[in-house]
Amino acid sequence: MTRIPFTLFSLILICTLSIPNLVHSKTLKRDVKALNEIKASLGWRVVYAWVGDDPCGDGDLPPWSGVTCSTMGDYRVVTELEVYAVSIVGPFPTAVTSLLDLTRLDLHNNKLTGPIPPQIGRLKHLKILNLRWNKLQDAIPPEIGELKSLTHLHLSFNSFKGEIPRELANLPDLRYLYLHENRLTGRIPSELGTLQNLRHLDVGNNHLVGTIRELIRIDGCFPALRNLYLNNNYFTGGIPAQLANLSSLEILYISYNKMSGVIPSGIAHIPKLTYLYLDHNQFSGRIPDPFYKHPFLKEMYLEGNAFRPGVKPIGFHKMLEVSDSDFLV
């Protein structure tokens, strides 16, 4: 029997083992079907860069614009879908909920209408859901509370109505929650205070009611919260002294509500408080001296209240604007 030299045998073995890596993995049929169904929708024909049948690329064709794929085992799966600011019209594409390996879904700044379907709860790996600046409506589905990996939820600048679902408190990794500029009603669920990683909560410009005391009633609530936006709603009552327990707070924005009472001096002892917007409420009394000695407080806006004469603001008031790059990481 002819013996193959060891070096030649080794070369043959290496080449044989490498063959699977030289061949493109197939894209999972489930994902191909889902994205081609979306592509065929009338409102998605503005996405001209979706050429071919395979969203992950096929041969000489690159992956579809805005589609990111990853290899899992013997198949490629779609892990990110980012198609924004291209004037997509029509209902939220339910077929998206068949992309079970999605980690990022970004369809912001389009013209999507109707509700978010309850099937959204199937996307168990989703970390970022960005649907802001659309025309979505109806209630926020409680099934979003099933997305246990979610860190960023952007639903602002839509027409959502009804109450904020308390199921959002079931998202242990949630860091950023944007619900401003909708038509939400009722109270903010105090259960949101149990979210250990929540840094930013913005519910401004809705039709919400209640008090801050109700919001922070749970002991040890909001341990990581830096930015709290409650502006342009119908909140009543005063600022409770317990708010000073939110020791990570940097921005408190409660302008244009119906709040009243005096400002507790303890709030001035929140270590990194930087922006305090109290304007256009019914607050009275004086501003305690510690606010004017706070080492970090850059702006304190007081206009449109019933404070004593001589009470002075701090800094120059302007609308706070934060770019996506500060949060979408």
Side-chain angles (χ1 to χ4, degrees):
M1 181 178 67
T2 303
R3 302 181 66 179
I4 301 176
F6 177 76
T7 54
L8 180 58
F9 175 77
S10 300
L11 182 61
I12 294 172
L13 180 62
I14 291 172
C15 290
T16 302
L17 293 176
S18 299
I19 287 175
N21 295 323
L22 297 176
V23 179
H24 284 298
S25 301
K26 291 184 177 181
T27 303
L28 198 64
K29 288 183 178 179
R30 175 202 69 198
D31 292 1
V32 173
K33 178 182 178 183
L35 278 170
N36 274 281
E37 181 179 330
I38 295 170
K39 176 184 175 181
S41 302
L42 181 63
W44 284 70
R45 293 182 182 176
V46 293
V47 189
Y48 300 111
W50 284 12
V51 179
D53 295 326
D54 191 336
C56 296
D58 185 11
D60 296 329
L61 293 176
W64 291 0
S65 175
V67 176
T68 300
C69 300
S70 300
T71 300
M72 293 187 180
D74 296 330
Y75 293 94
R76 292 179 300 181
V77 296
V78 176
T79 53
E80 297 184 9
L81 181 59
E82 300 175 88
V83 185
Y84 50 83
V86 290
S87 297
I88 296 169
V89 298
F92 181 96
T94 303
V96 163
T97 64
S98 295
L99 303 173
L100 301 184
D101 295 291
L102 275 185
T103 60
R104 181 191 292 255
L105 177 58
D106 187 348
L107 303 178
H108 82 266
N109 200 8
N110 284 295
K111 298 177 182 178
L112 297 175
T113 56
I116 299 175
Q119 295 94 318
I120 194 75
R122 301 174 63 196
L123 303 180
K124 306 300 185 185
H125 300 288
L126 202 62
K127 294 182 178 180
I128 296 174
L129 178 58
N130 189 354
L131 300 175
R132 75 184 193 282
W133 284 110
N134 277 286
K135 298 181 179 181
L136 296 167
Q137 53 202 52
D138 293 347
I140 297 173
E143 287 81 3
I144 289 180
E146 299 172 14
L147 308 179
K148 303 299 185 183
S149 298
L150 205 63
T151 60
H152 297 65
L153 179 56
H154 297 254
L155 300 179
S156 51
F157 296 99
N158 280 284
S159 297
F160 291 114
K161 61 184 180 181
E163 298 189 352
I164 298 171
R166 62 186 66 251
E167 287 82 359
L168 297 184
N170 298 331
L171 303 173
D173 295 327
L174 191 64
R175 288 188 242 167
Y176 300 99
L177 178 55
Y178 292 86
L179 301 176
H180 56 286
E181 296 282 353
N182 280 288
R183 300 175 184 175
L184 298 171
T185 56
R187 288 169 163 76
I188 305 173
S190 59
E191 290 87 349
L192 294 181
T194 64
L195 293 172
Q196 299 295 301
N197 297 298
L198 189 64
R199 299 178 188 177
H200 187 102
L201 174 59
D202 190 346
V203 295
N205 290 90
N206 280 287
H207 306 292
L208 299 168
V209 299
T211 66
I212 292 181
R213 186 179 300 277
E214 293 170 341
L215 177 61
I216 63 171
R217 67 179 178 81
I218 298 176
D219 290 341
C221 64
F222 298 110
L225 192 65
R226 298 177 185 174
N227 309 323
L228 178 58
Y229 289 68
L230 304 176
N231 56 290
N232 296 82
N233 281 288
Y234 298 96
F235 291 103
T236 55
I239 298 178
Q242 295 91 330
L243 188 65
N245 295 333
L246 274 61
S247 58
S248 298
L249 204 62
E250 298 176 11
I251 298 174
L252 177 61
Y253 195 179
I254 55 176
S255 306
Y256 290 93
N257 278 287
K258 298 180 180 297
M259 299 183 64
S260 58
V262 299
I263 308 301
S265 60
I267 304 302
H269 299 294
I270 299 176
K272 294 184 179 180
L273 187 63
T274 307
Y275 298 98
L276 178 60
Y277 291 166
L278 306 174
D279 56 288
H280 297 93
N281 281 282
Q282 300 166 18
F283 294 119
S284 58
R286 55 184 293 273
I287 299 296
D289 290 339
F291 282 97
Y292 296 99
K293 299 175 182 178
H294 196 292
F296 289 98
L297 192 58
K298 294 180 179 179
E299 293 187 12
M300 179 173 65
Y301 204 58
L302 307 172
E303 180 182 310
N305 282 289
F307 290 119
R308 291 182 183 178
V311 168
K312 297 180 179 180
I314 296 175
F316 177 72
H317 176 68
K318 60 182 182 297
M319 184 66 68
L320 287 179
E321 294 184 358
V322 187
S323 67
D324 291 345
S325 60
D326 291 321
F327 298 124
L328 288 179
V329 295

